[in-house]
């Protein structure tokens, strides 16, 4: 079976697993752009040893192609683990990241995230226009 049979999607306002992309709709060619990716923007996702977001990946697909470029892959590695027990640790990663990039042409951004219990999730496409 194809991988896309296992990737879930939805509206982040009603589904806590869907990654959110926050980026300008238009940028100048070569301009540095901050893109924020996160999970749990409107509905908080648990961040525990037992249930957490392990990573988010951001992809760019140039206009007129179907070739995705992996822009960034961010891992979230601590979720309260400790020798004292689950959720007793001193630090927790949050499923948010800022990526700085630049574009030479227009295209679309897509994000994917992985929940250790509920699997793979993807965002809707977000168009970015290079003017």
């Amino acid at each position: 079976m194809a991988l896309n049979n296992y990737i879930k999607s939805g509206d982040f306002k009603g589904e806590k697993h869907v990654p959110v992309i926050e980026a300008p709709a238009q940028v100048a060619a070569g301009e540095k752009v901050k893109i924020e990716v996160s999970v749990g923007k409107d509905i908080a996702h648990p961040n525990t040893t037992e249930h957490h977001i392990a990573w988010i990946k951001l992809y760019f697909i140039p206009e007129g192609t179907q070739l995705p470029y992996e822009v960034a892959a961010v891992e979230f590695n601590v979720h309260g683990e400790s020798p004292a027990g689950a959720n007793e640790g001193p630090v927790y990663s949050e499923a948010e990241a800022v990526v700085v990039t630049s574009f030479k042409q227009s295209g679309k951004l897509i994000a994917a995230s992985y929940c250790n219990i509920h699997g793979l999730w993807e965002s809707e496409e977000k168009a970015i226009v290079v003017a």
Side-chain angles (χ1 to χ4, degrees):
M1 273 190 156
L3 185 60
N4 62 358
N5 291 331
Y6 298 97
I7 300 174
K8 301 171 200 104
S9 190
D11 182 350
F12 73 87
K13 293 178 181 177
E15 172 51 62
K16 66 186 166 206
H17 292 94
V18 177
V20 177
I21 302 168
E22 296 180 85
Q26 187 170 334
V27 299
E31 170 188 10
K32 286 184 180 181
V33 178
K34 287 185 180 180
I35 300 168
E36 296 180 33
V37 290
S38 62
V39 171
K41 180 175 172 67
D42 281 7
I43 302 173
H45 187 281
N47 188 14
T48 64
T49 306
E50 301 84 9
H51 187 189
H52 57 267
I53 298 298
W55 53 258
I56 299 174
K57 293 185 178 187
L58 179 66
Y59 298 91
F60 176 70
I61 302 172
E63 204 169 65
T65 75
Q66 292 192 358
L67 176 63
Y69 289 84
E70 186 177 293
V71 177
V74 182
E75 292 183 1
F76 307 103
N77 295 319
V78 293
H79 309 282
E81 300 87 348
S82 169
N87 305 307
E88 297 295 326
V91 63
Y92 291 76
S93 300
E94 296 296 331
E96 298 181 26
V98 175
V99 176
V100 178
T101 189
S102 62
F103 300 91
K104 291 176 90 172
Q105 74 180 87
S106 301
K108 57 189 170 187
L109 295 166
I110 297 174
S113 63
Y114 181 76
C115 171
N116 70 315
I117 292 179
H118 299 106
L120 290 168
W121 292 81
E122 71 176 354
S123 68
E124 293 294 320
E125 301 166 357
K126 173 146 178 70
I128 192 155
V129 175
V130 175

